[in-house]
Structure formats: C-alpha cells, structure tokens
Amino acid sequence: MCGICGILLADQKARCASQLLESLHFLQHRGQDAAGIVTCGPRGRLYQCKGNGMIRDVFNEQRLLGLIGNMGVGHLRYPTAGSSANSEAQPFYVNSPYGIILSHNGNLINAPALKRYLDQDAHRHINTDSDSELLLNVFASELEKTNKVRVNEEDIFTALAGVFRECRGAFACVGMLAGFGLIGFRDANGIRPLVVGERVNADGSVDQLMASESVVLKALGCQKWTDLLPGQAVIIPKSTMKPIFRQVVPMLSYTPDIFEYVYFARPDTVIDGISVYRSRLAMGDKLAANIVKRFGGIENLKKEVDVVVPVPDTSRNAALQLSFTLGLIYREGFVKNRYVGRTFIMPDQQVRRSSVRTKLNAMELEFRGRNVLIVDDSIVRGTTSKEIVQMAREAGAKNVYFASCAPPIRHNHIYGIDLADTKELVAYSRTEAEIAAAIGADDVIYQTLPDLIAACAEENHNIKEFEVGVFTGEYVTGVENGYLEHLEEIRFQNARLKKLEKRTNTIRFDVNGDGEGKAEVDIGLYNTGDYR
C-alpha cells in the first residue's frame, strides 16, 4: 500500500510542486516510510526531492522551490517486505530510454523471475530490492525496443502491453516521460486503485490529475474524474493536454482489494464507484447482526454490554452504525494522539507495541465499572488489540469484548501490504476462543467474509468479487512457486540489517565509572533530535 499522484498543469510556466505536496498530504495515511516528488521543467529537465520519513521530514519551503516545472509525480512509501533503505524512496528514475519516472503502488509476485530476466536478457542493472524498480526497468526495456529518437503514444501503449505481459501481481502506476507527458496504468485485476480527473481553470484551460484516491482530486478542485479500469492505461501528452485512454490488455477480473474499504482508504474517498464511508456503515450493520447471534439475542446482549467504544480512527463509522443498530450507547473511550503515525504500517513490531500507548489513551470515565464492546477495523498481529484490551481493563472495565469489522486474517497479503510473517498473525492456527485469550479479551466476534463482501458490493453491483486472499489464502493472481518463501527471506534479511543498524548506531558508556551504571544513546535518534 502506497500513495501515488501526478499532475500536468495547462500553464507551461506554472509550478506543480506545491499541488503535488498538497496531494501527498491527503494520502499520508497510505505511507509513512518515505516520500518523494519529481517534476519536469523546461527542455525535459528533471528535478527531484525524496527521502525517508513523513512528508514533514522530507519537504520544506526551500526544497519545494527547487522543484521546477508544470508536470510531476509524487509517492508515499509504505514499508513492504523490502527494506526501508533511502535508495528505495520513490519515484524511481531511469535515464534510458527517454528519461522515465515511475511511482508504483502494489507488489509483483514474480519479482525473482523478473530480476533474472532483466539481468540475463535485458541487461539492466537493478540497484534495490524494490519490485517497483523492476517494473520501471521492464517498461524501459520494452520502450527501448522502439529504437526511435522520439516516441509517440502508440509506442508507449505497445511498451505498456509488454509490461502487462511480463509483470504479475498488483500495480497502479503514475509515470512521466521527460518532456512528453503523464502516464497511468492499472493491473488487469484492478487490485490497486487509481483515479484520473480534470480541473477546468477560469481561462478555460484544463489541468490533468491522477491519484490513488478520489479525495485528492476533489480537494484540488477537479470537476470530474473516473477510475482507471483493470488493464487500462491513460497517456496525457503535454502537447495536447488531452487524455488518451486505452484498454491495453483484456480485463481479467474486477477485484479491488477489500482492505481498501476496511482500513486503507480515507472514508471520504470513493473507489471503483464504492463509497468507503458507506461501505463501513454497512460493515457496522452486518457485524451487529453477527454480535446479536453470538450473545443469543438482543436482550441478552443488552444485559452483557453497556457501551460500544471504537478504536480511532478507521473503525468509527462502523462502530457508530453498529451501536445505532443495536440500540447501545456509543462513547469515544480512547483519545488519540494525532501526532503519532498509524501503528499498523509501522515497520517494526517493537515500535508498534510501544506506539500504541503513545497513540491512544483510555478515559477512565467511559470504562470504569462497565462491560465494554470495543470495535476495530481488523485484528492483524494482535499486538495493538492486546494493548487496547489491557488499557480498557486498567481503566476499570469489567468485561471487554472485541469486535472486528474484518474476518480473521490467517494468510499473507502479497499485493503490497506487509502484514507480517504468517506465523505472526494472531489468527494463524487459532480458534476465535484462542484469539480472545491471546489478546486478553472476554470474547472476540469477527465479521463473516460473505457479510464483508456484501457490505462493500452494495454501492456497485458491477463488482461482485474482491481480492480477499488474506482471509482465504486464495489469491486472484495465484502465487508463483517459491514467492512466499521469497518474501520470508527478504523479511529475515531486513530484520538482521535493522538489528545491525541498531548496534552500529548505539554508543554504550559507563555512567558511574564503576562498571555498574551502564546506559546507551542511540546516535541516529540523537542526530535527528529525537531523545528517548
């Protein structure tokens, strides 16, 4: 899961960098590991600023002034199974052929095979472990086959057909050819989202925009937009400013990742004609019915549960609707520190655990002496859920029931969301009773998969299926032989690297001079002004 965007302004003398930065702010929830912008100025000159951290860590006014040009792309990185090295911050760039920039959201399941192909057949150097760099170089290799001084739209569509042929998995991409224009394309199953829109200016000229979520286009003043269809691509040349849409390959399926609606996307976003907000309300309704069954009827439920408390922010819509349907009191029992990132997408388990209590504080006023039904969007590793249950008990709750808007997650996510090693998932090889014990709750109630699918499909009857492999272990693209083992190996290698970095960046010293009072300072934290 990453955030991507692109802008092409009609005014050739204008600068798009500030609007790209604004776009990224609306997408910060999609990635907090790295951020980047690349713009294209006069004579096809490219300007870039990217690095590890959140938007506020990477960009400042001076750096933004250095991003010249009316065309550009942006990216926010979520830490997948690859490393968090600065070299993996996107957008990626290759100078040959023609100067190509690419921002990618998703994951390729045939990455090892692509790496061999690019090395042995295409003879292209790959500098990182990122499959996004592989995808970019496959595109570059296909475009190079034109053997032309300048390419046109047909050449690009032909090259993209080669990308679809070679690459398997999930990919929504926004790209740019230096001096030529913007490019967008989406995998043939539509797993990752991408919207394309236009904004009419006062003088009648039209700006072109792309982004992972519709909220970006609406906020930036677009009057209309459309979802790019599975297997479809769009090219927007600077010379004409008119988007050219083409179905590059046949649509294999229309199966967006259901986790976009459960967790990833903002509630004010509409993806593939489905309102994220309304889908979460429907999740609340359907989860409520399942809870009533678990307690043996509404009367028994009301005897056992005093109050419904959401885990902010993602579960609020579902929890509010659930409480309304059940006729139970809804209370905001947890206060969120808005200056702490989303713990789900933090790259390290220990960081996640310590961040939960920094991020949330339980109000004793809402828990003391009550039987509480806590509602969350999902339960992944159980780390956050366990801490939340413990916080509720410390605040005086008598019984703590935990409800999840998603079914049990028992399998890897292979399309760009590094949930965890399968064995780290709390639902792996556990019953619901065992999960409840693991997180310290009195009971755990899950949404059923049919109900979750129905909740998301209510708004768009053309979409009847979703990518739900994390729940079933059956993935829409299938899985390449050895790919899951490949993911585990990458995770293992990067875990070792992080431990090594921690040791390298730590100075140990004797505080008292007697060999007893030992302390340590993390140089990396000290240098960034973050004192623990």
Side-chain angles (χ1 to χ4, degrees):
M1 179 189 75
C2 295
I4 59 175
C5 59
I7 293 179
L8 175 54
L9 300 179
D11 184 353
Q12 298 286 325
K13 296 181 180 178
R15 292 191 177 195
C16 66
S18 61
Q19 294 183 49
L20 283 169
L21 185 66
E22 186 177 359
S23 301
L24 292 181
H25 275 293
F26 281 102
L27 297 172
Q28 182 74 88
H29 59 284
R30 298 187 68 90
Q32 301 171 358
D33 199 47
I37 290 175
V38 177
T39 59
C40 184
R43 301 188 304 278
R45 181 70 62 86
L46 298 171
Y47 304 84
Q48 76 167 14
C49 176
K50 61 180 183 176
N52 282 356
M54 297 175 69
I55 295 168
R56 62 172 181 253
D57 303 316
V58 177
F59 298 100
N60 56 37
E61 185 177 357
Q62 184 177 0
R63 289 172 180 171
L64 210 61
L65 288 173
L67 297 172
I68 299 167
N70 68 319
M71 177 173 67
V73 297
H75 187 274
L76 292 166
R77 184 179 186 272
Y78 156 81
T80 58
S83 75
S84 297
N86 196 63
S87 60
E88 295 197 4
Q90 295 187 42
F92 279 132
Y93 163 68
V94 290
N95 71 330
S96 176
Y98 315 116
I100 309 171
I101 300 294
L102 192 73
S103 288
H104 167 223
N105 174 27
N107 211 52
L108 304 181
I109 63 170
N110 63 333
L114 285 176
K115 197 163 189 175
R116 287 192 298 271
Y117 161 74
L118 289 168
D119 179 35
Q120 298 172 11
D121 298 332
H123 310 304
R124 301 190 71 89
H125 174 70
I126 303 302
N127 193 54
T128 71
D129 291 327
S130 172
D131 59 349
S132 303
E133 189 185 10
L134 298 176
L135 195 154
L136 169 60
N137 276 274
V138 169
F139 180 39
S141 178
E142 292 294 323
L143 204 54
E144 198 166 31
K145 293 177 182 177
T146 62
N147 198 29
K148 294 168 66 174
V149 176
R150 295 287 183 269
V151 289
N152 56 35
E153 293 84 353
E154 287 301 320
D155 297 324
I156 297 171
F157 280 127
T158 300
L160 287 174
V163 172
F164 281 98
R165 183 184 63 249
E166 298 292 342
C167 298
R168 290 189 63 198
F171 49 90
C173 300
V174 175
M176 179 171 63
L177 254 65
F180 182 89
L182 285 182
I183 304 165
F185 55 99
R186 189 180 184 190
D187 69 80
N189 294 291
I191 299 170
R192 287 277 156 262
L194 185 61
V195 288
V196 183
E198 59 182 38
R199 178 179 59 200
V200 180
N201 300 310
D203 61 0
S205 62
V206 180
D207 300 326
Q208 303 291 339
L209 294 85
M210 301 185 203
S212 297
E213 298 187 24
S214 64
V215 63
V216 174
L217 276 59
K218 185 175 182 180
L220 267 65
C222 287
Q223 290 82 7
K224 63 178 182 179
W225 56 84
T226 184
D227 294 281
L228 210 59
L229 295 174
Q232 193 177 45
V234 60
I235 299 172
I236 311 174
K238 285 185 67 174
S239 57
T240 65
M241 293 296 297
K242 295 184 183 300
I244 306 167
F245 292 87
R246 181 173 297 183
Q247 193 69 35
V248 178
V249 295
M251 185 187 303
L252 296 179
S253 68
Y254 205 156
T255 49
D257 187 348
I258 206 162
F259 242 86
E260 290 284 353
Y261 304 97
V262 172
Y263 178 82
F264 299 143
R266 286 172 51 131
D268 47 352
T269 279
V270 177
I271 297 176
D272 292 312
I274 301 170
S275 163
V276 175
Y277 172 73
R278 289 188 179 277
S279 70
R280 289 176 184 170
L281 293 182
M283 289 176 206
D285 276 331
K286 295 183 182 300
L287 182 56
N290 199 23
I291 290 170
V292 170
K293 290 179 185 177
R294 176 64 67 88
F295 281 86
I298 190 68
E299 296 303 322
N300 289 337
L301 171 65
K302 289 187 175 182
K303 291 176 184 177
E304 295 294 329
V305 177
D306 300 315
V307 63
V308 174
V309 175
V311 177
D313 287 315
T314 320
S315 65
R316 277 185 170 134
N317 304 140
L320 183 59
Q321 186 66 20
L322 179 148
S323 68
F324 176 79
T325 302
L326 295 177
L328 294 172
I329 298 171
Y330 172 92
R331 288 290 185 267
E332 293 282 349
F334 293 104
V335 178
K336 181 181 178 182
N337 180 349
R338 298 186 179 276
Y339 300 98
V340 177
R342 299 178 88 169
T343 56
F344 173 83
I345 62 176
M346 287 182 175
D348 181 82
Q349 178 84 331
Q350 189 173 356
V351 172
R352 272 189 297 274
R353 188 178 296 111
S354 63
S355 292
V356 174
R357 289 182 180 257
T358 307
K359 176 182 176 181
L360 297 175
N361 184 51
M363 287 195 294
E364 186 175 328
L365 181 68
E366 297 297 350
F367 288 99
R368 176 66 60 188
R370 285 178 166 177
N371 296 323
V372 182
L373 175 62
I374 296 175
V375 180
D376 206 352
D377 50 75
S378 58
I379 306 172
V380 183
R381 300 168 181 86
T383 308
T384 300
S385 304
K386 184 175 182 179
E387 289 291 329
I388 286 170
V389 171
Q390 182 64 29
M391 289 165 64
R393 294 199 187 280
E394 290 171 1
K398 292 195 296 184
N399 292 317
V400 180
Y401 305 101
F402 206 99
S404 168
C405 295
I409 297 172
R410 294 192 166 99
H411 304 276
N412 254 307
H413 195 295
I414 65 172
Y415 300 120
I417 305 132
D418 188 25
L419 293 180
D421 180 337
T422 304
K423 295 181 179 61
E424 291 180 5
L425 299 170
V426 71
Y428 177 77
S429 295
R430 285 191 176 104
T431 64
E432 290 189 14
E434 290 169 336
I435 296 167
I439 68 171
D442 292 283
D443 198 4
V444 168
I445 305 99
Y446 279 102
Q447 185 90 265
T448 68
L449 184 55
D451 281 347
L452 178 59
I453 292 172
C456 296
E458 284 182 4
E459 293 254 310
N460 187 349
H461 298 296
N462 292 323
I463 299 179
K464 297 179 173 59
E465 297 180 338
F466 294 84
E467 163 49 40
V468 294
V470 288
F471 310 121
T472 65
E474 298 176 3
Y475 305 96
V476 65
T477 61
V479 182
E480 296 278 319
N481 289 334
Y483 180 69
L484 295 179
E485 291 78 7
H486 168 70
L487 284 181
E488 301 301 341
E489 177 61 25
I490 290 176
R491 287 194 189 99
F492 175 73
Q493 290 176 358
N494 286 315
R496 289 184 62 187
L497 283 174
K498 286 174 184 175
K499 288 180 181 178
L500 180 62
E501 289 169 2
K502 178 68 177 175
R503 287 197 298 269
T504 304
N505 291 337
T506 302
I507 299 176
R508 292 178 177 82
F509 56 94
D510 186 347
V511 181
N512 301 327
D514 58 3
E516 298 296 329
K518 294 182 179 178
E520 60 181 43
V521 172
D522 190 310
I523 302 172
L525 294 176
Y526 182 86
N527 287 340
T528 57
D530 185 358
Y531 308 101
R532 290 184 185 176

